[in-house]
Amino acid sequence: MLTQNYITPTKISKPWNVFSTSDNYETANCNEFIRAQFQKAINDVYFGLTDPQEKTLFENAYYVNDAVKELAPGLHIIPPDFNAISPLPANAITMVEVAVNLLEGSAVSDHYFEGTLVNHWFVNDKRYKFLNSCPTCGEYPPLPWHLLILAKMSETTDKVWQEAHHTTVTPGSFLGSEFFEEAAY
């Protein structure tokens, strides 16, 4: 790292995205960038080892299927205020995207939500599947027919809501990882 030889997401012209998901490194947020640098450092150390026994121990600790372990896994989050009943998180996400892009105005970043907007029924304080589901969380249960009738008869509960689901690397990814320890200051 002293040589400033970094692994950067360079497959697209504007790789930096605060709403990036953790499942690819074509776009990245700052936490994903830091994780990639630790992975690169581990790889550099490994290729500098000459003792076969040290290499084997190092592989067992830091590698899986010939690749450096994830170190700080992405956390699945439902952003604040969207976990509650929220009628228009898609609009809220869009407003935040526009605001961040306007404030930053950068030639190297393009902030857009890479997560999943999950549509669901909200009846009697419970969520039920409407159209789609989250690839990480799975599906909400189907809406029973008798609740569908109830929802159709009542103006207040006949609602389809959305939640923003997102898997990304956060500071909590590092704090919860077995590879990093928390230092008290």
Side-chain angles (χ1 to χ4, degrees):
M1 293 187 84
L2 291 174
T3 62
Q4 297 184 7
N5 183 11
Y6 304 118
I7 296 176
T8 57
T10 57
K11 291 186 179 181
I12 60 175
S13 61
K14 294 183 176 185
W16 304 111
N17 181 1
V18 296
F19 303 111
S20 175
T21 57
S22 62
D23 60 354
N24 70 57
Y25 197 55
E26 291 180 13
T27 61
N29 62 32
C30 59
N31 296 305
E32 287 176 281
F33 176 75
I34 291 168
R35 177 179 71 179
Q37 304 327 300
F38 277 109
Q39 289 172 311
K40 180 189 180 309
I42 287 171
N43 214 31
D44 290 348
V45 168
Y46 174 75
F47 284 109
L49 295 174
T50 55
D51 181 354
Q53 188 175 7
E54 281 183 343
K55 276 191 152 187
T56 300
L57 290 171
F58 204 80
E59 281 176 7
N60 291 340
Y62 295 107
Y63 283 79
V64 63
N65 298 330
D66 297 325
V68 176
K69 290 181 180 177
E70 207 170 36
L71 303 179
L75 298 177
H76 188 69
I77 58 174
I78 301 172
D81 300 328
F82 301 150
N83 194 20
I85 307 170
S86 181
L88 299 170
N91 291 345
I93 289 283
T94 302
M95 289 187 309
V96 172
E97 288 172 347
V98 169
V100 170
N101 283 315
L102 285 174
L103 290 172
E104 186 168 294
S106 173
V108 296
S109 61
D110 190 11
H111 305 289
Y112 57 93
F113 185 69
E114 293 181 2
T116 303
L117 293 173
V118 176
N119 299 307
H120 61 86
W121 287 99
F122 191 80
V123 181
N124 293 343
D125 296 329
K126 292 184 181 172
R127 290 169 178 80
Y128 297 96
K129 181 180 179 177
F130 180 66
L131 289 176
N132 63 337
S133 59
C134 173
T136 303
C137 296
E139 296 183 346
Y140 288 122
L143 182 65
W145 66 269
H146 63 280
L147 290 180
L148 180 60
I149 293 171
L150 174 70
K152 291 293 183 186
M153 291 179 0
S154 170
E155 288 295 317
T156 59
T157 58
D158 185 9
K159 302 279 188 223
V160 174
W161 303 92
Q162 284 185 322
E163 292 174 325
H165 290 238
H166 193 68
T167 301
T168 189
V169 179
T170 70
S173 301
F174 293 94
L175 294 175
S177 172
E178 65 178 286
F179 297 101
F180 298 93
E181 60 184 59
E182 194 171 338
Y185 291 98

